[in-house]
Amino acid sequence: MTASPHPSSPIPHPVIIDTDPGIDDCLALLLALKSPELDVRGISISYGNTVIEHAWRNAVEILRRAGQRRPLAVGARRPLKRPLVTARDTHGDSGLGYAAVPRAGSVLDFAKTLEQLLAAQTEPVTLVTLGPATSLALVLRRERELVRAKVARHVAMAGCFRVKGNTTPHSEFNAWCDPEALDIVVRAGLGTELVPLDVTRQIVVTSEEVARLGQSSDDTGRWLHDALRFYVEFHRRRERLDGCVVNDILPIAALVRPEVMALRPSRVAVILDDGDDRGRTRGDKAGPEIAVAEQVRPDLVRQLLFERVLPSLAGAEAHS
Ligand code: BDR
Ligand code: CA
């Protein structure tokens, strides 16, 4: 078992985030934007939890609430081969639960692409993918050398190994959405670091904490409460959990504080079947070598989230 490598680039660590916001993506983006250790060079928007038009609108609203401007780019609008399916039950119609959002209206046809965002980088970046792997797979198909030149490191929230899936009994949502894309990515020789459900499931915000967020004195705290209470309702119904699993904050937290997660070099396979095995990830001696996160320190991750994104809950570690 090896600890996650410290970012080799100078501080702040340059990152591009490909994401499908999404309630936990929203917290992950806010954590990245509020972390001085990271230099968020751009955000690429993908379908996934919701359709791309909603995900784009949500990212614009998240940036507005963070008081920051960052380049936004268009990633994938649909899976490579599979039909488009979104996670409305998990993240709501808008993608952000009950949180109020403006109407989606941007025409994305002329927006910058993920390729253009990568090409504009003056130094290699860490690419973090928090949704289906399709955006990166498309760039790899079209401009493999560009990815080699500009992506120094790739960290992906995807897959599950020893725990039950959240989409089929064996599959995690991002892997399930586009198994063919994830397969292309893990075979691309990027040394992808996979952050699977096995570790992200341990990052939970309790329903009591979400309720407390509703009493925040700041408007964005109450806005996040409206997003998260939808997520809690979903987890109560589907997972019998009194809280919500905020998967996507873990890859970001691990860039900020490498000690929160440990990785193990692993050979894996992505199953391209249909049915319950669609998007299943498993160890396979014949598969490409990547790294898989196997250990996590949820207390430190929650502490970071509370201090930087949910300040009205900071100090909650002492209560839980
Ligand atoms: C992943 O799927 C989505 O619901 C979350 O945003 C996360 O990226 C967890 O399986
Ligand atoms: Ca996501």
Side-chain angles (χ1 to χ4, degrees):
M1 175 77 60
T2 54
S4 309
H6 282 264
S8 50
S9 341
I11 296 284
H13 182 167
V15 296
I16 290 179
I17 302 172
D18 181 75
T19 173
D20 58 336
I23 298 168
D24 56 335
D25 302 76
C26 170
L27 294 179
L29 285 172
L30 290 171
L31 178 60
L33 292 166
K34 287 172 183 281
S35 291
E37 299 85 350
L38 305 184
D39 175 8
V40 181
R41 297 278 177 89
I43 300 168
S44 155
I45 304 300
S46 169
Y47 80 91
N49 290 323
T50 185
V51 293
I52 195 168
E53 290 79 6
H54 288 185
W56 181 280
R57 176 268 320 275
N58 296 349
V60 171
E61 178 64 7
I62 291 162
L63 281 169
R64 187 187 72 76
R65 287 187 172 269
Q68 297 194 22
R69 296 167 81 95
R70 299 294 149 139
L72 280 181
V74 170
R77 294 164 184 262
R78 64 188 72 84
L80 297 180
K81 292 189 177 163
R82 314 270 177 166
L84 173 65
V85 177
T86 60
R88 210 173 177 175
D89 56 339
T90 318
H91 297 266
D93 281 344
S94 72
L96 290 178
Y98 297 124
V101 284
R103 278 194 20 211
S106 303
V107 176
L108 304 181
D109 297 358
F110 305 106
K112 192 193 294 285
T113 61
L114 176 56
E115 276 103 313
Q116 289 168 333
L117 184 59
L118 286 171
Q121 300 309 308
T122 51
E123 60 180 326
V125 301
T126 292
L127 177 66
V128 184
T129 54
L130 302 177
T134 324
S135 305
L136 176 54
L138 286 170
V139 187
L140 277 163
R141 266 188 175 177
R142 294 194 287 244
E143 301 239 27
R144 184 168 288 259
E145 287 314 309
L146 175 72
V147 177
R148 290 208 184 288
K150 303 293 185 177
V151 178
R153 186 175 167 197
H154 172 225
V155 187
M157 192 281 126
C160 66
F161 292 86
R162 295 188 183 85
V163 299
K164 195 162 88 42
N166 61 1
T167 303
T168 80
H170 311 302
S171 307
E172 179 278 331
F173 179 74
N174 291 338
W176 179 90
C177 275
D178 198 343
E180 286 75 19
L182 186 59
D183 184 55
I184 289 173
V185 166
V186 297
R187 291 177 186 283
L190 300 173
T192 291
E193 297 167 25
L194 219 54
V195 183
L197 267 189
D198 307 58
V199 282
T200 65
R201 262 230 164 94
Q202 299 175 50
I203 315 298
V204 172
V205 178
T206 68
S207 66
E208 186 272 325
E209 287 160 345
V210 171
R212 215 146 24 99
L213 198 57
Q215 310 304 314
S216 306
S217 55
D218 75 300
D219 181 56
T220 293
R222 293 193 302 278
W223 183 75
L224 290 171
H225 165 255
D226 286 339
L228 285 165
R229 67 191 170 86
F230 184 95
Y231 214 27
V232 167
E233 287 175 4
F234 164 79
H235 281 83
R236 195 170 282 142
R237 217 169 43 239
R238 279 282 292 275
E239 310 248 338
R240 304 218 169 119
L241 177 73
D242 193 24
C244 53
V245 181
V246 287
N247 306 277
D248 289 339
I249 67 167
L250 182 54
I252 302 293
L255 293 183
V256 175
R257 298 254 184 282
E259 67 274 17
V260 304
M261 196 175 84
L263 294 158
R264 184 195 288 276
S266 312
R267 292 189 179 274
V268 302
V270 182
I271 310 300
L272 306 180
D273 293 350
D274 294 319
D276 282 355
D277 274 350
R278 167 178 167 176
R280 184 175 189 166
T281 47
R282 66 171 179 226
D284 180 345
K285 287 196 180 84
E289 186 170 317
I290 58 165
V292 177
E294 290 196 348
Q295 284 178 9
V296 62
R297 296 181 60 187
D299 50 338
L300 294 184
V301 177
R302 280 165 40 87
Q303 191 183 355
L304 195 62
L305 176 72
F306 293 171
E307 282 170 6
R308 297 192 176 180
V309 181
L310 309 172
S312 61
L313 300 182
E317 284 307 294
H319 305 247
S320 63

